[in-house]
Amino acid sequence: MSGVLVRLRPIVHATPTPTGLHVRGWRSSFTLDGGKGLWTIWERLAGPLADGVPPGRLVVPEHAPPAVARALELLIGQLHEHDMLVEVPAEWGGDAPPEDIASWLESVAPAPVETWRRLRSATVTVTGEGVLAAYARRALVAAGLEVAAVRSGPGVVLVAGTHAVAAGCATDVGFVVAPGPLSDVEADAAAVARRLAGAPGTAPEVLAALVGSAAAHRLVCAVGGLPDPSTEVVDMWSDVPPTGPPHQAVLVARLDPLHAEYHPWLSAVRPREPNGALLDVLGDRELGPVPTPLPGDLPQLPVKLAASGDVVGFGTTEHAARLDALLRAAGELAPAGALVGADRVHALGLALRTAVRRLPGTPVAEVEWAADPTARRWWKAVALRFALPASVEVTRLGPGVTRAVVRADGEELSWAVEAEPADAVAFAAMAAAGRAQAGVGGTGVRGTVVLCGAAPFAEPDGAAAPWTNRDWHWPHGLRDGEEAFQEDLRALAGEVKPVDLGPVLEAAGLVAFAEDGR
């Protein structure tokens, strides 16, 4: 193609290794092994590519030795695969970008010329005041965009055509919401400001400079057709390019020390499909709608405990306890009578169990569960470790459906409904032990505690040894039979009604059904 050169992106760097070389780019890297001669071949290839070569010349020479030809073919292929080569004009012409802007575009843009044309044709309107708006305007002008007169207004809003970005800055915290339509970004900015609840007053100049420049950066990328900066967060131990956050990404910046990072935002006006990262999204320390669930100072034996605010969750692992606390805290944001689950299977399992829990049944003899090591372990925790004056009532409600209820001093501490008596007793006893461990009647233990096999349990760490049995990883694996068990529950309870949780909780992946089944 006349007037076009293929160039190594300026951000690409290589390092020799004892057996080859390692090449790093903007969003990925690769390593080649094949001997020290690879570095010599790289130097011969990278020199011309740094200046740019016509596309037709980026081929393996016909008369190259076989080993060199294979190395060149592999190197060129890897450079293409990892997006480390870019086509640029031999001459930018009269409307050439400044050298630093050209280098940036050649480093990150799929098509630098097209991106520069978009930036040069855009006019940005800045609404805001003070140093926040001033730094945003300065960053936009430095990137080559035309900026109209700054209008007065709270925070800062940048608009270019159909793209808008909103930001705000208090004395201790600032933020930049994801680009989008003007009405959406303004709604998200107002909601984020309420969630962060920054201290009122004039923003420090250093914080305003960071936030204003970040807002300009996000708008520039949106106008130029470049990936949003939130997708640039790369795992240093992985060569897999990032795919971007699963939800709207909001940059949150704070002082002391000055730092900024992207956090997932459950937007009410721009919800996205759930991704299953409940703990990371719902419990995000900056923007999550519920407090981050953590073990804190809670005792961890025999039950794992975690607290989300003043709500305590229980589990056999830290992950299970944190998830349980998160769901209990999210349940307080749900409509009254809603049973909230981590997904549809979990929520439906809770609702169906609740619907059948008071049905009459036939007593189950202690011999049917007492020999099970898991049930025995948790019942011993209740009766021996915590010395509760407790009793457990086990009842068969129907084919393959068993209920266990733990009571102490006339109070119902916990109940469980499972397919097997041993599992029902184990869940009910573990919940009762968890209450005692956290402090019966203490902060976070409210009403009867319900744990069940419908919850999504994390995979155990490491491969199970041949001699392990269910007691090693219980309750992992129970969920495999949950859908079949729910059919048995439906035969007793009928159908249950789903509950609308609203765009925020549903975007997180939560599902709820009515407690009364209707």
Side-chain angles (χ1 to χ4, degrees):
M1 185 182 298
S2 178
V4 173
L5 299 177
V6 175
R7 181 171 293 169
L8 193 66
R9 291 190 183 274
I11 204 169
V12 175
H13 296 281
T15 304
T17 68
T19 58
L21 74 160
H22 178 71
V23 184
R24 302 174 302 282
W26 175 45
R27 295 164 65 87
S28 65
S29 64
F30 65 88
T31 301
L32 295 181
D33 292 327
K36 294 184 177 180
L38 276 175
W39 181 250
T40 302
I41 296 173
W42 166 259
E43 290 181 312
R44 300 256 179 113
L45 177 65
L49 278 179
D51 298 324
V53 300
R57 288 183 53 191
L58 189 59
V59 294
V60 178
E62 293 183 3
H63 303 296
V68 174
R70 286 195 300 272
L72 282 171
E73 184 178 359
L74 185 59
L75 267 173
I76 294 171
Q78 287 293 297
L79 290 173
H80 278 297
E81 183 176 337
H82 290 269
D83 192 28
M84 295 179 179
L85 299 175
V86 62
E87 289 191 353
V88 297
E91 296 291 339
W92 278 89
D95 192 29
E99 184 177 347
D100 57 339
I101 298 297
S103 178
W104 174 63
L105 293 175
E106 291 174 8
S107 291
V108 303
V113 175
E114 177 60 27
T115 297
W116 179 240
R117 287 173 182 165
R118 291 182 181 182
L119 296 179
R120 292 297 291 164
S121 63
T123 299
V124 184
T125 300
V126 179
T127 301
E129 57 188 20
V131 291
L132 182 61
Y135 276 106
R137 182 184 185 281
R138 188 175 79 170
L140 290 166
V141 171
L145 280 76
E146 181 179 346
V147 180
V150 177
R151 303 174 183 175
S152 179
V156 66
V157 178
L158 314 178
V159 181
T162 60
H163 304 286
V165 171
C169 202
T171 59
D172 57 342
V173 63
F175 65 87
V176 183
V177 303
L182 178 59
S183 60
D184 289 350
V185 301
E186 287 181 328
D188 277 336
V192 169
R194 289 193 297 269
R195 181 69 55 76
L196 291 174
T202 303
E205 186 169 352
V206 64
L207 187 61
L210 172 59
V211 173
S213 300
H217 185 199
R218 296 193 84 164
L219 185 73
V220 167
C221 290
V223 171
L226 301 176
D228 187 72
S230 63
T231 67
E232 296 178 16
V233 180
V234 179
D235 181 353
M236 66 176 291
W237 303 112
S238 172
D239 288 339
V240 178
T243 57
H247 297 278
Q248 298 291 348
V250 172
L251 183 77
V252 178
R254 287 193 178 273
L255 284 170
D256 194 26
L258 181 65
H259 67 282
E261 59 184 334
Y262 286 96
H263 292 264
W265 168 245
L266 291 167
S267 171
V269 294
R270 293 187 282 175
R272 295 189 180 181
E273 287 298 316
N275 78 314
L278 285 173
L279 290 171
D280 295 333
V281 178
L282 273 177
D284 180 78
R285 71 179 186 278
E286 291 283 9
L287 299 176
V290 300
T292 305
L294 294 170
D297 296 329
L298 291 169
Q300 296 299 306
L301 289 174
V303 185
K304 296 296 184 183
L305 303 181
S308 178
D310 60 355
V311 177
V312 175
F314 312 102
T316 56
T317 65
E318 180 182 322
H319 181 275
R322 292 182 63 209
L323 179 61
D324 187 55
L326 185 86
L327 294 174
R328 295 185 193 281
E332 298 192 348
L333 305 177
L339 295 170
V340 179
D343 55 21
R344 181 178 176 81
V345 172
H346 187 201
L348 187 57
L350 286 171
L352 290 171
R353 284 167 168 82
T354 302
V356 305
R357 61 169 296 214
R358 298 199 183 278
L359 293 178
T362 58
V364 174
E366 183 176 336
V367 69
E368 293 194 42
W369 61 265
D372 181 83
T374 302
R376 189 169 64 250
R377 170 199 175 192
W378 289 113
W379 184 245
K380 286 171 64 177
V382 173
L384 299 181
R385 184 181 182 99
F386 296 109
L388 293 179
S391 62
V392 59
E393 178 187 26
V394 186
T395 308
R396 182 165 286 108
L397 305 180
V401 179
T402 306
R403 175 186 62 215
V405 181
V406 176
R407 296 183 178 89
D409 295 328
E411 178 188 5
E412 184 178 284
L413 301 181
S414 59
W415 62 267
V417 174
E418 298 295 331
E420 298 296 332
D423 289 321
V425 171
F427 275 120
M430 181 174 69
R435 282 175 60 101
Q437 186 174 317
V440 175
T443 300
V445 183
R446 302 172 184 172
T448 305
V449 175
V450 181
L451 302 174
C452 74
F457 301 103
E459 290 280 350
D461 293 333
W467 60 84
T468 62
N469 55 32
R470 82 178 205 123
D471 310 308
W472 287 67
H473 302 304
W474 184 91
H476 176 73
L478 280 186
R479 186 166 147 123
D480 295 343
E482 177 64 21
E483 293 188 16
F485 177 57
Q486 289 181 8
E487 290 301 317
D488 294 333
L489 292 172
R490 278 195 185 90
L492 298 173
E495 294 297 332
V496 290
K497 181 183 177 181
V499 175
D500 182 9
L501 290 175
V504 172
L505 294 183
E506 289 184 355
L510 298 185
V511 180
F513 286 87
E515 184 176 9
D516 61 4
R518 297 189 298 272

